[in-house]
Structures are given as structure tokens and as C-alpha cells.
Amino acid sequence: MDEAIRFLRDTDPKLARIIDNTAEKCSMALQRDGKSDTSYISLCQSIVYQQLAGKAAEAILLRFLKRYGTPKNPAVKEALSSESSSAASSLTTKDFIFPSAEQVASFDVDEMKAIGLGQRKAEYLKEVAMNFSNGTLSEELLATMPDEEVSRALVSIRGIGQWTADMFLMFHLKRPNVLPTLDLAVRKAMCQHFGVPFGKKTPTHDQMVTLGEIWEPYRSVATWYMWRSLNTVTQDKSSA
């Protein structure tokens, strides 16, 4: 990370001022620590969280895990089966093991809808699960594929668009050179940063890529500072 910060300071003096004025240390890790969820779980959770406020999405995810997940220890299992509402209400998503891809692929859509998932989200979860259960995707494959190949593989799955693929690359795979050109906050921040007009159709993807060339090969870190320049809560914070 220190190397990335030094590089960005040297290549973009204006970004250097943003770095100096940002009290919070950049939390954009550039290496996976082995403690994060699997790629399969990360993508499933991304689908649950789509177009929902954090608390609402977490409540649905918790209901999903209470119904389909495995309690991590006997105390969780006891609380889940307890008649005491306070015991069950104290449980969180961290108390459960996410169901396997094979399990989710076999779940009934109507049953999944009953715990708060919409029809499409239930179908999307099953589709992600099927891609992992049949070997089309795997942890090892995604870890070794170039960014562009990861994006193509993910956006071919119903329910996963380019923005979700970009967030997955940045926050799960910890890829250092991702520029999420569909992110509204990044588009606004880059326009302010580079002094270009902002509109419904501008800047274009190609314009943003050209502007961001100065940050390569650390566009992910520069993106984090673009978010911070607008005080935008990033995914690593909202999902903590």
C-alpha cells in the first residue's frame, strides 16, 4: 500500500492533496488475507444486498441463514430453537455457515421468496450457485484469471452486472488496478478532480479510462480516494 500511495502522490499532485486531507488511512487492501469469505459467498451476498439499504439487506440475509445456514456452534443452534425471542434476536449473520453451492442450487424459489428474497434475487442466487457447483467458476479459477476475464465470466451470469463485478474485483479479489466507470460517485468525483463536465451521458467509459491512465497500475487505490473526496461510504465499510 505504501508503494501505491507514493506512486499516486508522484504522478498526480492534486490527488496527493486529497491523500493529505483524508484523515482515514486507506483501507483498500491490495492482498487477500485468507480471512475473507469465499468468492461464491461474496457473490451471493452481493446479490442479496443489491438495491437495498444495508440494514434491510442484512435482515434478509440473516433470515436466509437462519432458514438454510448451519449454526457455527451448539449455542447458536440452541438460540435458534429457543422459544425465547430475545435469544433468537441476538443472532447475527456471523453465527452461521453459508449453505454450499450444491445446496443453494437445489433450493425452491418460492421457499426462498418466503424469507424476503424477491423472485429475481432467488433465481440469481441459484444461478450463481449452479455456476460454482458445476465447476464453471471456482475459487482457484477466479483467483488466477486476469481482471477482464473475471469481468466477462461474472457478467455472463444473470443478476451480476459490471458494477458488481468491479466491486468483487476490488474488495474481494483485491485487484489493484480496477476503475469502476459505472459508479456514480466515482464519475462525479473524477469530473471534479479533472475539471470535466458531468452529465447523464458524460463522462463516458472511454473518457474515464483515459483520465484514469495517470493512476495505473493503482486505479483501485485512486478510486478509494475519489470516494473519500465525496465522503462516500465504500463497500468495505458498509459490509463490515
Side-chain angles (χ1 to χ4, degrees), residues 69-80:
T70 302
K72 287 187 175 179
N73 57 59
V76 175
K77 186 175 182 180
E78 182 178 351
L80 193 60

Side-chain angles (χ1 to χ4, degrees), residues 108-213:
D108 181 78
V109 169
D110 288 334
E111 288 185 7
M112 294 168 74
K113 287 168 59 180
I115 54 112
L117 285 169
Q119 173 85 24
R120 287 186 177 180
K121 283 192 178 183
E123 293 173 353
Y124 296 162
L125 283 177
K126 284 175 64 70
E127 189 151 342
V128 168
M130 284 188 284
N131 272 271
F132 279 89
S133 63
N134 66 20
T136 300
L137 293 178
S138 69
E139 192 73 27
E140 296 75 16
L141 186 63
L142 288 167
T144 57
M145 292 166 66
D147 294 356
E148 295 77 11
E149 290 186 22
V150 173
S151 288
R152 283 196 295 269
L154 294 185
V155 299
S156 69
I157 300 173
R158 214 161 50 105
I160 298 180
Q162 187 60 54
W163 184 87
T164 299
D166 287 342
M167 296 301 106
F168 177 81
L169 282 163
M170 293 176 69
F171 291 103
H172 183 77
L173 294 183
K174 312 297 185 186
R175 300 294 174 87
N177 197 34
V178 180
L179 182 64
T181 60
L182 294 181
D183 189 279
L184 181 61
V186 174
R187 293 177 63 228
K188 286 182 177 179
M190 287 185 70
C191 283
Q192 291 182 11
H193 187 74
F194 291 104
V196 299
F198 174 78
K200 289 184 177 180
K201 297 183 179 180
T202 57
T204 65
H205 167 82
D206 289 343
Q207 287 172 330
M208 291 181 68
V209 169
T210 299
L211 291 170
E213 285 178 353

Side-chain angles (χ1 to χ4, degrees), residues 33-45:
D33 58 11
K35 297 179 181 179
S36 58
D37 289 324
T38 65
S39 295
Y40 154 67
I41 293 175
S42 177
L43 289 168
C44 285
Q45 291 178 341

Side-chain angles (χ1 to χ4, degrees), residues 44-65:
C44 285
Q45 291 178 341
S46 293
I47 287 174
V48 174
Y49 273 74
Q50 282 176 358
Q51 299 178 328
L52 288 175
K55 288 185 178 180
E58 188 167 4
I60 292 174
L61 179 60
L62 181 57
R63 289 199 295 271
F64 176 84
L65 291 172

